[in-house]
Amino acid sequence: MIRQEEVYKIGRLGKTHGVKGEVSFQFDDDIFDRTDADYLVLDIDSILVPFFMEEYRFRNDTVCLVKFCDIDTQQRAQELTGCDVYFPRTLAEEAEDVPSLASLVGFSIVDESSSKTVGRIADIDDSTVNILFELEDGTLIPASNELIDDIDAEQQTITMNIPEGLLDI
C-alpha cells in the first residue's frame, strides 16, 4: 500500500480526450518526464493507486495528454477525471540533485539560529515571482535560495536562515 508520505502531488487529471482512453493532465511539476517513471499515483477515493502510463504527449508547458494502460475507452477514462496525481518521492530523489518545489510539501522547516522546528510545509505559493512556503499554521516564509541553508530529503527537513522578526508577523 502506498502511503501519503511516500508521494507528493504534481497535478490533477482533467477531462477526457477522444474515445481511446486519453485524459488531460494539468501538472505543476514535470518530474514524470525528467525521470524514467513508468507510472503515476492517482488518489481514488482517498486510496493511492499506481497507474502505468502507456504514453503521453505534451499540449503545452503545463498540460499533457496521458494514456494509461488498460484504460481503453472514454468511459473508463471518465472515471479518472478530477483525480489528484502524485509522484513517488524515491524516484524523484534518485533523479535530481535539487528537489522540485512541489516535492518539498510535507518537509519541516528548521530555523538554523535556534535549531527549532518552525513548522511543516502545507503548500507552495508560486502565484507571484516571490515563491513562499505556506506552513500548516498559515505562516508564510520566503522560499529564497539565500535563506535556505540545507535540504535533507531523507529527514524531510529544510534548514533556513530565517530573518529575525519574520515569524512574529
Side-chain angles (χ1 to χ4, degrees), residues 13-14 25 58 62 72 75 81 85 106 115 117 126 142 162 167:
L13 294 182
F25 171 33
F58 289 93
T62 60
D72 297 325
Q75 291 78 17
T81 60
V85 180
S115 298
T117 300
D126 60 355
I162 300 174
L167 299 176

Side-chain angles (χ1 to χ4, degrees), residues 23-47:
V23 64
S24 66
F25 171 33
Q26 175 86 31
F27 57 89
D28 301 320
D29 187 345
D30 66 350
I31 186 71
F32 65 96
D33 187 50
R34 293 181 280 131
T35 63
D36 289 331
D38 296 327
Y39 67 95
L40 297 173
V41 179
L42 304 184
D43 183 342
I44 300 180
D45 297 328
S46 299
I47 299 172

Side-chain angles (χ1 to χ4, degrees), residues 74-102:
Q74 184 177 15
Q75 291 78 17
R76 295 278 320 272
Q78 183 84 33
E79 296 170 7
L80 302 178
T81 60
C83 289
D84 286 334
V85 180
Y86 294 84
F87 195 79
R89 289 187 188 274
T90 54
L91 291 178
E93 290 165 6
E94 291 171 6
E96 299 183 330
D97 292 336
V98 179
S100 66
L101 284 173

Side-chain angles (χ1 to χ4, degrees), residues 5-157:
E5 57 270 9
E6 295 173 343
V7 295
Y8 67 96
K9 185 177 174 183
I10 62 169
R12 186 174 186 87
L13 294 182
K15 60 184 179 178
T16 60
H17 181 80
V19 295
K20 304 271 187 199
E22 281 186 316
V23 64
S24 66
F25 171 33
Q26 175 86 31
F27 57 89
D28 301 320
D29 187 345
D30 66 350
I31 186 71
F32 65 96
D33 187 50
R34 293 181 280 131
T35 63
D36 289 331
D38 296 327
Y39 67 95
L40 297 173
V41 179
L42 304 184
D43 183 342
I44 300 180
D45 297 328
S46 299
I47 299 172
L48 298 174
V49 181
F51 276 79
F52 287 86
M53 295 180 288
E54 192 172 298
E55 64 182 356
Y56 62 88
R57 65 184 190 275
F58 289 93
R59 300 214 47 189
N60 59 41
D61 290 344
T62 60
V63 176
C64 72
L65 298 175
V66 179
K67 170 74 173 74
F68 292 108
C69 295
D70 300 324
I71 305 296
D72 297 325
T73 65
Q74 184 177 15
Q75 291 78 17
R76 295 278 320 272
Q78 183 84 33
E79 296 170 7
L80 302 178
T81 60
C83 289
D84 286 334
V85 180
Y86 294 84
F87 195 79
R89 289 187 188 274
T90 54
L91 291 178
E93 290 165 6
E94 291 171 6
E96 299 183 330
D97 292 336
V98 179
S100 66
L101 284 173
S103 70
L104 300 178
V105 172
F107 279 43
S108 295
I109 302 276
V110 176
D111 183 15
E112 184 176 46
S113 63
S114 66
S115 298
K116 291 184 180 178
T117 300
V118 174
R120 278 181 35 144
I121 300 172
D123 198 12
I124 306 291
D125 181 353
D126 60 355
S127 60
T128 66
V129 76
N130 296 318
I131 299 170
L132 301 168
F133 293 135
E134 184 178 335
L135 304 185
E136 291 173 338
D137 67 0
T139 303
L140 297 174
I141 297 177
S144 169
N145 287 336
E146 291 81 31
L147 299 179
I148 297 173
D149 186 52
D150 183 51
I151 298 175
D152 186 339
E154 190 173 305
Q155 297 295 317
Q156 293 194 344
T157 60

